Amino acid sequence: MKNFDRYTVFEQAKQWVYEAGEIIRASIDKKLTVDTKSNPNDLVTEMDKKIEKYFADEIRSTYPTHRILAEEGYGDELKGLEGIVWIIDPIDGTMNFVHQKRNFAISVAIYQEGIGEIGLIYDVMANVLYHAIRGEGAFKDAVRLQPLTQDLKLSESILLINSIWCAENSKVNEKKIQELTSLVRGTRAYGSAALEFASVAEGIIDGYLSMQLQPWDFAAGVILVNEVGGVTLHASGRPLNLLGSNPIFTGNQQIKDEIIEKYIELK
């Protein structure tokens, strides 16, 4: 698409992310109205909606031809990723936001014709911004993230594994996941997919598995991980569906094949 200056759009998106973070921090100790969505653990607050509306209003007034894919209802009805699409999670890790008042993030990705061009993941309470422009590297604030190690063994890896793998309605072979967790050096869970992707991009976590992520959970993280030489796939090994839910592996390419081929058995 003509007239898409990635650097100008990136600077504008970054400004909005910082401003949204200020809005959240200013209200962090105020009483929240908390509702549930698909289940009692799927939380949404008035702040999720307020921040998403803030982004939607700013994007539509500044870039009226751009479209929005978002979690809380202020996006567009999309059947494809033609043109320029902003994919937004206003508060990724809402349960952490409600219970801990930390360890949550704003996630913003900008795709052009289905290709990720710009990704921003903002750890709001730590005031740390992970960001990437396609082909320009990934950064933690002003520090460039290094390429992921090329000599990693699975037995020496630390993985993030979402506990939903063990749910009764899970579509994965739980015994295989138990074998994997017993093989690797350790497992973790942070409660924010965006920050989990950022940890993979930073190289402090080697891989991340989750049974069910929506595009707004992973769209920005995919761009960051790509920029440090990592890979993000549907857990079966297929390409991602950027318009729907996916079971996902993201991480170091050195362990990708072994995990997907030996330990992920989808029912």
Side-chain angles (χ1 to χ4, degrees):
M1 178 177 288
K2 295 181 179 179
N3 302 321
F4 179 59
D5 182 335
R6 297 189 307 168
Y7 304 101
T8 299
V9 174
F10 167 75
E11 291 298 331
Q12 180 65 83
K14 184 169 68 171
Q15 177 185 333
W16 290 336
V17 165
Y18 281 135
E19 289 175 358
E22 290 178 3
I23 293 169
I24 295 171
R25 285 192 297 270
S27 301
I28 195 67
D29 292 320
K30 294 181 180 179
K31 185 177 180 180
L32 288 169
T33 300
V34 182
D35 296 316
T36 60
K37 295 189 284 188
S38 62
N39 63 67
N41 295 325
D42 188 6
L43 306 182
V44 61
T45 72
E46 74 271 22
M47 185 59 71
D48 293 82
K49 298 174 184 178
K50 179 177 181 178
I51 296 301
E52 183 168 300
K53 184 178 185 301
Y54 166 79
F55 278 108
D57 289 346
E58 294 291 347
I59 292 164
R60 289 186 174 119
S61 64
T62 308
Y63 304 110
T65 63
H66 294 191
R67 297 185 297 159
I68 301 168
L69 179 62
E71 183 172 12
E72 308 301 347
Y74 292 95
D76 301 302
E77 292 290 333
L78 301 186
K79 295 183 178 179
L81 292 174
E82 299 81 13
I84 298 173
V85 177
W86 294 62
I87 305 178
I88 299 169
D89 195 338
I91 298 180
D92 183 80
T94 300
M95 189 177 294
N96 290 351
F97 171 64
V98 170
H99 289 273
Q100 301 176 357
K101 299 183 179 180
R102 63 184 182 217
N103 299 325
F104 60 89
I106 297 169
S107 179
V108 175
I110 303 169
Y111 279 64
Q112 180 178 211
E113 305 298 338
I115 297 173
E117 297 285 356
I118 296 166
L120 304 103
I121 294 173
Y122 184 46
D123 185 335
V124 174
M125 301 311 291
N127 190 26
V128 171
L129 179 65
Y130 296 87
H131 57 92
I133 297 175
R134 183 174 62 87
E136 304 287 341
F139 295 80
K140 180 181 181 181
D141 289 330
V143 178
R144 188 185 186 101
L145 301 181
Q146 296 302 305
L148 300 183
T149 180
Q150 298 296 303
D151 58 356
L152 180 67
K153 296 179 181 178
L154 185 56
S155 60
E156 299 172 351
S157 301
I158 296 179
L159 300 182
L160 288 158
I161 300 183
N162 189 310
S163 60
I164 199 170
W165 286 99
C166 300
E168 290 183 5
N169 62 349
S170 176
K171 296 179 180 179
V172 75
N173 186 327
E174 185 178 336
K175 290 184 179 179
K176 291 286 187 180
I177 298 298
Q178 290 172 344
E179 290 177 18
L180 175 61
T181 59
S182 67
L183 171 64
V184 298
R185 183 163 283 171
T187 60
R188 303 288 186 269
Y190 293 169
S192 164
L195 293 180
E196 288 164 328
F197 268 87
S199 297
V200 170
E202 193 174 355
I204 59 176
I205 293 292
D206 301 303
Y208 171 41
L209 292 166
S210 184
M211 187 62 206
Q212 185 175 350
L213 292 182
Q214 298 291 340
W216 42 80
D217 297 319
F218 63 78
V222 168
I223 300 168
L224 267 71
V225 171
N226 284 349
E227 288 299 307
V228 294
V231 63
T232 307
L233 296 166
H234 187 284
S236 67
R238 302 195 305 268
L240 294 173
N241 172 13
L242 282 163
L243 292 174
S245 173
N246 297 251
I248 276 182
F249 168 80
T250 187
N252 193 302
Q253 300 215 37
Q254 304 302 308
I255 60 175
K256 178 253 303 181
D257 289 340
E258 188 173 357
I259 288 176
I260 289 177
E261 293 172 9
K262 291 185 179 181
Y263 298 103
I264 300 179
E265 184 179 306
L266 299 178
K267 298 175 184 177

